[in-house]
Amino acid sequence: MPRTIDLRSDTVTQPDETMRIAMSAAEVGDDVLDHDPTMRRLEEQVAGLVGMEAALWVPSGTMGNLIALVLHLHRGDRFLAARGSHVLESELGSAAWLAGGMPHPLEWSGGPGRISVEDVRSMASSGGPYYALRTRLLCLENTHNFAGGTVTQPDEHARLVATAREAGLRVHLDGARLWNASVALGVPPAALAVGVDTVQVCLSKGLGAPVGSVLAGPSTLVAEGRRVRKMLGGGVRQGGVLAAAGILALERVDDLAIDHANAKSLADGLTELGWEVRRPETNIVLAVVPDAQVTLAMLARVGVQAVAVPGGVRFVTHRDVPTADIGEALRRISAESPARV
């Protein structure tokens, strides 16, 4: 079998030797009792980067989003999110099961992964009898995973947040790949989180950390979020071992530009081979195929891994797949099947 080129997700990256050394040398304490010093340093650093007062390390982005929803929603409250959002499709219904929220997807009226201010305004209406659904929260996602890593521009973000505010809604930003959006647009991460109540950012997608996300917001909300994290079993002890990896990961944000360039090269190469591919904005390449399972089987035969998504397959470039491997993947696919399968 040929050496595998793993393009399933940017979560498959492994900590390199430098990161492992940083983890082994981390100053640690009991984070549940005394707030681990390295964990505190990571949280303060992320809070500054996204323009928030405080932040809380969590084991996963799913837990970070769930904690935010628990903080923002009362049971039975409706929340809005773009169709295909991670919080709707890939978090096992925890928004409804544990946070008690009623999810409502908004269509992509503004393009792939993009919702319109008109749709937010319409669904946020507070009129109606006492037994009508009460809409309390707007969830944004930047970049939008299942739309192909599409980016929300700062002005577009500002309009959506302003519309939500006018309607009395809170706003949570799922910024699992906010670093990618920041690099793609050439703006600071804080510019993409202006006006939101909470934001979750991931350290293990593309940056190379083995685990961890951070939920940021006002200090009062983050303090309550720490309680909710403990309820969910997310309190850690000597968390500095993991936080050290996150601190080093933040030094590698600019490297994401390489992943974006590799994604464009992959998309161009697949297009030349006859595949129907949307031009990527960041590091996610979506290909439309007649039968995703047949395509994945073909890719597996040549040692290239991807995943099925509605309507096609998804490739994600990352730091553990160098530029040379993108060319190698295209050569293998071309040899197996010069046109899409």
Side-chain angles (χ1 to χ4, degrees):
M1 290 291 292
R3 174 180 57 85
T4 298
I5 299 173
D6 194 342
L7 294 167
R8 290 173 299 169
S9 176
D10 47 9
T11 60
V12 303
T13 56
Q14 297 188 14
D16 59 18
E17 182 179 2
T18 302
M19 184 171 285
R20 291 173 189 264
I21 292 172
M23 294 170 70
S24 68
E27 180 186 2
V28 298
D30 190 320
D31 191 61
V32 175
L33 297 179
D34 303 317
H35 206 158
D36 177 284
T38 307
M39 192 73 83
R40 182 190 297 274
R41 183 155 62 94
L42 170 65
E43 291 168 346
E44 291 174 351
Q45 185 175 357
V46 172
L49 287 171
V50 298
M52 293 292 181
E53 287 182 349
L56 174 71
W57 182 93
V58 291
S60 70
T62 293
M63 183 182 285
N65 286 338
L66 175 60
I67 291 172
L69 266 62
V70 169
L71 295 175
H72 293 314
L73 297 173
H74 295 153
R75 290 197 172 274
D77 284 346
R78 176 165 53 190
F79 69 94
L80 310 178
R83 176 172 56 83
S85 294
H86 197 277
V87 71
L88 298 179
E89 301 293 339
S90 298
E91 299 185 3
L92 290 87
S94 58
W97 178 38
L98 296 174
M102 174 71 77
H104 184 94
L106 298 177
E107 291 302 316
W108 298 350
S109 302
R114 295 183 172 93
I115 58 177
S116 70
V117 295
E118 291 78 16
D119 288 344
V120 171
R121 186 177 295 114
S122 173
M123 292 308 304
S125 174
S126 59
Y130 76 93
Y131 51 79
L133 276 174
R134 179 175 56 186
T135 305
R136 183 177 291 270
L137 177 69
L138 171 65
C139 288
L140 302 174
E141 184 176 332
N142 195 14
T143 68
H144 192 297
N145 182 358
F146 290 117
T150 52
V151 175
T152 301
Q153 299 276 348
D155 57 343
E156 182 182 356
H157 166 87
R159 287 194 297 270
L160 290 168
V161 171
T163 301
R165 290 287 183 223
E166 291 168 2
L169 303 187
R170 295 183 176 186
V171 182
H172 170 63
L173 171 60
D174 177 0
R177 293 183 175 87
L178 193 69
W179 318 117
N180 293 87
S182 170
V183 169
L185 295 172
V187 300
L192 301 174
V194 172
V196 305
D197 295 279
T198 50
V199 54
Q200 177 268 128
V201 290
C202 190
L203 303 168
S204 63
K205 290 183 174 68
L207 300 185
V211 61
S213 291
V214 179
L215 176 67
S219 56
T220 53
L221 271 182
V222 170
E224 184 61 24
R226 188 174 296 274
R227 288 175 49 82
V228 177
R229 184 186 70 174
K230 181 63 173 173
M231 292 177 192
L232 298 173
V236 297
R237 298 299 178 176
Q238 286 69 39
V241 174
L242 299 173
I247 291 171
L248 183 58
L250 291 174
E251 298 177 5
R252 300 173 170 180
V253 171
D254 290 344
D255 293 349
L256 294 173
I258 300 172
D259 300 338
H260 297 176
N262 286 341
K264 289 179 172 62
S265 295
L266 178 61
D268 290 343
L270 290 174
T271 300
E272 291 175 5
L273 293 176
W275 292 54
E276 183 182 344
V277 180
R278 183 183 303 152
R279 182 73 172 170
E281 296 182 17
T282 51
N283 68 321
I284 299 177
V285 177
L286 293 184
V288 178
V289 298
D291 190 318
Q293 295 308 315
V294 170
T295 301
L296 291 179
M298 179 276 290
L299 292 170
R301 287 196 298 271
V302 298
V304 176
Q305 292 182 301
V307 297
V309 295
V313 296
R314 186 192 72 174
F315 304 85
V316 184
T317 56
H318 53 82
R319 65 183 300 109
D320 284 5
V321 175
T323 300
D325 277 1
I326 300 300
E328 173 63 17
L330 289 168
R331 284 190 291 272
R332 294 181 188 181
I333 295 169
S334 177
E336 176 71 16
S337 177
R340 69 190 180 98
V341 177

